[in-house]
Amino acid sequence: MKPIVGLTMTKSDKKYSLNAPYVQSILDAGGVPLCIPFGVEKDVDQLISTLDGLLLTGGVDIHPHFFNEEPHLNLGEVSLRRDQVEIALAKAALKNKLPIFAICRGIQLLNIVLGGGLYQDINTQFEKEPLLHNQKAERHEASHFVTINSESLLYKIIGNDKIAVNSLHHQAIKDVPHVLLITAKASDGIVEAVELKDYPFCIAVQWHPEEMAVAGDKHSKALFAEFIQACTKYKI
C-alpha cells in the first residue's frame, strides 16, 4: 500500500489551487497525494488518523496576529482561513508524530506553531542586507547557495554541506524555538532549513524542492524519496 500524504492548498475567487509540482513530486516518490480543503479544523484528528504524512506547502503570507505582531507595511496577501486550518493540521500532526515535510510558507508556519516568529519582510527587517531571495529566474532554477549542518538529517539525505537552491520568498523565520535544529542557512544568515529534534521525520525548508525535483534535481528528489519512505514506515 502506498502512503497517503495530505497536502495543504490555497483558495481565491471561490477556487482551490495548488501548484502541480507538489502533487507530481509526491507521485514520483511513490506516495498518494490528498489535497486538504479549508473548514476541516474540527475534524483534524479524524483526518490526521487517515494520513501517513503531511506536506505543508508554500503560498501567501501568514497573518502576523498568529505570532503577536501588527502587520508590517510590506506584508503581502494573507488568508486567515488557510492559517487556521494549517495551524490545526500541524498541531494534530505533531501530536501524532506524523511525518511532516514543510516547504517555504510551511517552514514559517511550523516555526510559529512551535512558538517562533517571522520577519514579515526580510528586505526591510533583517539585521543585515539580504541576498535576493525572490529570484528573477524561472521557479525550478537554482538561485543562491545554502550551507548545511553536517550533524543533520538533511545532510544525511543530501550528502553535501553546500547546495544551490531556488528562492521565492520575502519572509523568513526568526526566534527559532529550541525544539528545532537549524540545519541550513544562506550566506546572509537567513535560516533556510530546520528539523524537529527527537521526532521521527520533520524537515522544513525555505526553498522549493518540488519545483526542482520535477526538473530532475537529484537533491530535491532525494528529499521527497526520504519523506515518502518515512510515510511508508509510519503505520507499520
Side-chain angles (χ1 to χ4, degrees), residues 14 53 62 65 76 79 88 95 101 106 121-122 130 138 149 158 166 173 178 187 192 194 197-198 216 224:
K14 299 182 179 180
I62 298 168
H65 288 180
S79 170
K95 182 177 70 175
F101 191 13
D121 180 60
I122 57 175
E138 293 187 41
N149 182 340
I158 290 177
N166 56 357
I173 65 174
H178 72 278
S187 62
E192 290 279 339
V194 297
K197 300 174 185 177
D198 302 318
F224 277 96

Side-chain angles (χ1 to χ4, degrees), residues 67-69 107-108 110-120 125-127 172-182 185 189-191 194:
F67 48 99
N68 299 314
E69 290 187 10
I107 187 177
Q108 298 165 10
L110 181 68
N111 197 59
I112 289 168
V113 166
L114 293 171
L118 295 183
Y119 294 101
Q120 293 187 50
Q125 292 186 313
F126 194 54
E127 289 80 4
I173 65 174
K174 69 174 182 179
D175 305 325
V176 179
H178 72 278
V179 295
L180 287 173
L181 173 68
I182 295 174
K185 286 186 176 182
I190 294 288
V191 175
V194 297

Side-chain angles (χ1 to χ4, degrees), residues 125-171:
Q125 292 186 313
F126 194 54
E127 289 80 4
K128 57 188 281 190
E129 185 176 6
L131 299 171
L132 176 65
H133 283 272
N134 194 4
Q135 69 188 51
K136 308 304 180 183
E138 293 187 41
R139 291 177 66 88
H140 69 275
E141 295 177 350
S143 176
H144 64 75
F145 290 97
V146 298
T147 301
I148 300 174
N149 182 340
S150 61
E151 300 299 317
S152 66
L153 176 58
L154 181 65
Y155 176 83
K156 292 178 182 177
I157 295 169
I158 290 177
N160 201 324
D161 62 3
K162 187 177 183 179
I163 61 170
V165 300
N166 56 357
S167 191
L168 299 158
H169 64 105
H170 82 109
Q171 297 193 315

